[in-house]
Amino acid sequence: MTALILALIAGAVIGLALGGLGGGGSVLAVPALIYLLHFTPAEATTAGLVIVMLTSVTALTAHARDGNVAWRTGLLFATAGIVPAMLAGAASGHLPDTMLTGAFAVIAALAALRMLRPARTEPPGEVNPGKAGAAGAGLGLITGFLGVGGGFLAVPALVSVLGLSMRRAVGTSLSVITINSLAALGARAGTGMHLDWAVIAPFTAAAILGAWDGKRLSRRIKGRTLQRIFAYVLLAVAAFMLVDVLL
């Protein structure tokens, strides 16, 4: 019963982040699965991909309904990350748990610091295929390796590299997350890893409901305020994980 309650609470928080910010939920999903629900790092990164992919599809539907998804741009960005996501996903299962946890903590800390920096926007212009491909490939690597959707990196990249407005970047990032997560899961299929679906199912259900609430919340509270709150929480989680690895 305790595990079920923790899964529901954690899922709701992650859904809020994905629905309201277009990313960031997965960088909390993996630590929650490890420290609250006692998954191994390898199990947590795989389960995190399942949770984030299904939740992103739900949030994507809401943003698409409002016309805030640049489908062609998202497909271009995501396509460059498919192969890196699959290769990294296949390799991650052969790495020590401490290495996965430490790498995850570093990425989470960098993401939090990036969120706390003043937002920069550039006027839309011609998309540089080289920059778009490099950004998409890098995002795919992180998705496959660490089991995160990468929305916390996709949103700023879509704004600064591809010139999308913040609102459209949030919606478009969800399409990128969905594609990258699916590719990384495909690479991990058939590995024989056991996943506790009695925990993953309610976790995902709560995240999906939270995503709808996050979408509504984003209309009432300034996105920058939500982003700063989330960044501070993420920074605390990253610090805790680093201390745990080092000690």
Side-chain angles (χ1 to χ4, degrees), residues 21 116 221-232:
L21 299 174
L116 291 172
I221 301 177
K222 289 182 179 180
R224 183 62 182 159
T225 301
L226 283 174
Q227 187 169 305
R228 289 183 69 86
I229 293 172
F230 182 81
Y232 285 124

Side-chain angles (χ1 to χ4, degrees), residues 78-245:
T79 299
I82 290 177
V83 173
M86 295 186 71
L87 293 176
S92 65
H94 303 287
L95 297 175
D97 286 350
T98 52
M99 181 179 292
L100 281 176
T101 304
F104 190 96
V106 171
I107 291 294
L110 292 175
L113 294 174
R114 175 62 184 81
M115 287 180 177
L116 291 172
R117 289 170 54 190
R120 294 187 303 166
T121 58
E122 295 182 5
E126 289 197 15
V127 174
N128 184 315
K131 287 184 178 180
L139 187 65
L141 277 173
I142 293 173
T143 298
F145 185 59
L146 297 179
V148 299
F152 59 90
L153 297 174
V155 171
L158 288 166
V159 171
S160 61
V161 176
L162 302 184
L164 296 186
S165 67
M166 179 59 71
R167 190 174 294 276
R168 282 176 69 78
V170 167
T172 304
S173 76
L174 292 166
S175 67
V176 177
I177 291 169
T178 301
I179 294 171
N180 280 348
S181 297
L182 187 59
L185 276 173
R188 298 183 185 212
T191 59
M193 183 182 299
H194 169 72
L195 294 178
D196 189 350
W197 291 102
V199 172
I200 295 173
F203 196 120
T204 304
I208 288 172
L209 292 175
W212 286 99
D213 289 335
K215 178 65 172 60
R216 289 193 291 267
L217 188 64
S218 67
R219 296 173 180 170
R220 300 179 183 178
I221 301 177
K222 289 182 179 180
R224 183 62 182 159
T225 301
L226 283 174
Q227 187 169 305
R228 289 183 69 86
I229 293 172
F230 182 81
Y232 285 124
V233 172
L234 184 57
L235 201 57
V237 170
F240 175 82
M241 294 180 76
L242 281 174
V243 169
D244 182 62
V245 170

